[in-house]
Amino acid sequence: MWRRIEEVRRGGAEEGNNVKRVGIRDVAAAAGVSISTVSNALNRPEMVSDELVARVRQVADELGYVPLRAAQQLRQGRSGLIGMTVINIANPFFADLVAGAESAVARSGRRVLVGNTNDELVKERDHLELFESVHVDGMLISPFGGPDTWIQRLRDSKIPSVFVDAVDEAGEFSSVSFDDVAGGRLAAEHLLALGRTRLAFVGARDEVRQVRDRLRGAEVAVEAHPGASLERIWTDRVNSEVGRAFGYQLADRAPHNRPTGLVVPNDHLAIGIVSALVSRGVRVPEEIAIVGYDDIEFAAIASVPLTSVRQPAREMGHRAAELLLARIAGETSEVERIVYEPTLSVRESTIGRAA
C-alpha cells in the first residue's frame, strides 16, 4: 500500500507547477480497491466493512484527497449555495445584512455567494445570471433598481427567492424590509423638536426606493410643522468622500443661507459632512445639527458622534435567510412580508455634549 502511495505522489510531483489534483481513481489505485468501493467508503460507509472504511480513509488522507463537494451536491439536485445581491458592500449596513444571512445559512450547511451591484443595474443582471449558472439553491435580493426590475426574471428562473431591504408590492415574493418613510420622518421630527426649522435633505439618486422613501418621510414631518422648510440637495454618491466635498461647499455659504438641520440618508455621507464642517470651523450641532441613517458602528465614534436612524441589519439578513431556507425546504409556500420599524440613536451631532 505504501509503495503505491509514493508512486502516486511522485506522479504528481513530475507534473511540476501543474500538479494534478488527486482524484477518486488515485485513491482506488493506491488502496487496491475499486472506484465504487472508495465512493461507498467515503460517502456510504454502511455499505462496506469498518476495516475497509478505515483503510480507504487513511489512504485518502495520505494522498491529500479532497472530494468535489460541488459535483456531489449538483448530483443531489442542489449546489449548497445561496446567492445574495447587495447594493454596496462598502456600506457597513449591507455588510451586516450579509453577516446576518450567513449566520442563518451556515446552519443549513450552505454558503452565501455575494454579488455586489455597486449601484449598477447591469451588475444586478450579471450576478443573477451567475447565480442561475451555478444552480444556487435560493436567492436573497437587495435590488438597486427596485423589486420590479427582478420580478419577471425571478418568475422565469423558479429559484426560491426573498427580497431584503425591499418589498414586492405584487405580493409574489416574501420580503424583509424597513419602514424608510417612518425613518425619514423620525429624523426630521427630531430636528424640528430641537427648534431646527430650516432643514435640508442631502442624498443621491432619488430613483433608489430607500432614498425616495426617506425623503418622503422628512417631507411629511416638515409639512406638519408650520414655518418649517426643507431644501433638497442631491449628491453624486453617498460616501464619506462626497460628504466631505459637500460639507466644504456648505461651510462656504453665508451662515444665514445654511440649513440649521440636515437629514442625511446614509451614515458614511453624514460622517463626511461632519468632518468637513468641523474642519472649516462650523460648529456641529450648534450651527448645523445632523442626523444620519443606518447607525453603523462608526457613527458612535465619529469626531462628533452621529445621531442616526437605526436599522437592525444583521437581524434583517438573518430573518430573510430563515424565510428563504423554509421555502427551499418546502416548509412553507406562503408569502410573508416582515417590516422593521425605526428607532433613533441620539448623539452629539444633534444634542451636543452633555454637561
Side-chain angles (χ1 to χ4, degrees):
M1 178 174 68
W2 302 114
R3 181 182 61 80
R4 292 181 180 178
I5 289 174
E6 289 300 324
E7 287 174 354
V8 171
R9 283 178 172 167
R10 284 198 300 272
E14 289 170 1
E15 300 278 347
N17 291 330
N18 298 316
V19 177
K20 181 181 178 182
R21 181 188 179 96
V22 174
I24 194 171
R25 293 180 182 275
D26 300 316
V27 177
V33 298
S34 67
I35 293 174
S36 61
T37 297
V38 173
S39 178
N40 285 334
L42 297 177
N43 302 307
R44 294 174 295 277
E46 70 279 3
M47 302 288 290
V48 295
S49 68
D50 292 343
E51 184 275 331
L52 195 52
V53 169
R55 177 182 169 190
V56 169
R57 288 181 176 174
Q58 182 179 0
V59 171
D61 289 344
E62 286 289 329
L63 292 178
Y65 170 70
V66 178
L68 292 173
R69 297 294 183 195
Q72 294 173 353
Q73 289 167 333
L74 285 175
R75 285 194 295 270
Q76 297 166 2
R78 68 184 189 91
S79 66
L81 296 173
I82 299 297
M84 184 173 187
T85 68
V86 293
I87 295 175
N88 187 349
I89 197 66
N91 183 336
F93 168 76
F94 291 107
D96 284 344
L97 270 187
V98 172
E102 286 180 330
S103 68
V105 168
R107 297 176 184 177
S108 71
R110 295 179 172 87
R111 295 292 181 268
V112 177
L113 179 62
V114 179
N116 178 32
T117 63
N118 201 30
D119 298 345
E120 295 181 30
L121 288 172
V122 66
K123 287 188 176 180
E124 281 194 332
R125 186 188 67 244
D126 291 345
H127 290 314
L128 179 54
E129 290 175 352
L130 171 64
F131 295 161
E132 290 176 331
S133 71
V134 298
H135 304 283
V136 295
D137 298 345
M139 291 190 290
L140 296 168
I141 308 297
S142 182
F144 167 64
D148 290 347
T149 62
W150 287 80
I151 296 296
Q152 187 57 52
R153 188 66 181 266
L154 294 178
R155 285 195 199 110
D156 294 341
S157 73
K158 302 188 185 307
I159 299 173
S161 301
V162 171
F163 285 110
V164 191
D165 196 33
V167 176
D168 169 23
E169 297 294 348
E172 295 184 56
F173 296 89
S174 293
S175 63
V176 175
S177 62
F178 188 76
D179 189 340
D180 282 301
V181 174
R185 186 177 67 247
L186 183 64
E189 286 175 345
H190 174 65
L191 292 169
L192 292 167
L194 294 172
R196 309 304 177 113
T197 56
R198 295 201 312 270
L199 302 189
F201 182 94
V202 186
R205 296 183 183 247
D206 62 334
E207 69 268 24
V208 178
R209 191 273 308 167
Q210 293 90 331
V211 174
R212 289 199 311 270
D213 286 353
R214 293 166 195 179
L215 170 59
R216 181 55 191 152
E219 289 172 336
V220 168
V222 170
E223 288 165 4
H225 197 287
S229 62
L230 181 68
E231 180 183 1
R232 296 157 186 82
I233 303 171
W234 301 115
T235 60
D236 293 332
R237 287 184 175 269
V238 284
N239 57 44
S240 57
E241 182 178 353
V242 171
R244 283 193 297 272
F246 171 73
Y248 294 138
Q249 293 175 17
L250 193 58
D252 289 340
R253 290 192 191 182
H256 66 276
N257 285 329
R258 296 175 191 149
T260 56
L262 300 181
V263 176
V264 186
N266 172 286
D267 281 346
H268 272 182
L269 185 65
I271 290 170
I273 294 172
V274 170
S275 174
L277 289 175
V278 171
S279 72
R280 291 287 179 86
V282 178
R283 294 173 299 156
V284 177
E286 290 83 359
E287 295 179 71
I288 302 177
I290 301 175
V291 180
Y293 212 99
D294 294 335
D295 198 20
I296 65 175
E297 180 181 357
F298 299 113
I301 59 175
S303 57
V304 178
L306 184 68
T307 293
S308 184
V309 177
R310 181 179 181 275
Q311 296 193 83
R314 285 178 182 261
E315 184 178 343
M316 290 168 64
H318 191 279
R319 189 71 187 96
E322 288 181 332
L323 292 181
L324 180 61
L325 293 171
R327 185 166 292 274
I328 292 171
E331 297 171 0
T332 181
S333 59
E334 293 185 7
V335 173
E336 297 187 55
R337 180 182 293 185
I338 297 172
V339 181
Y340 285 84
E341 294 297 323
T343 58
L344 192 66
S345 297
V346 180
R347 301 189 181 95
E348 291 176 26
S349 70
T350 57
I351 62 171
R353 192 181 302 274

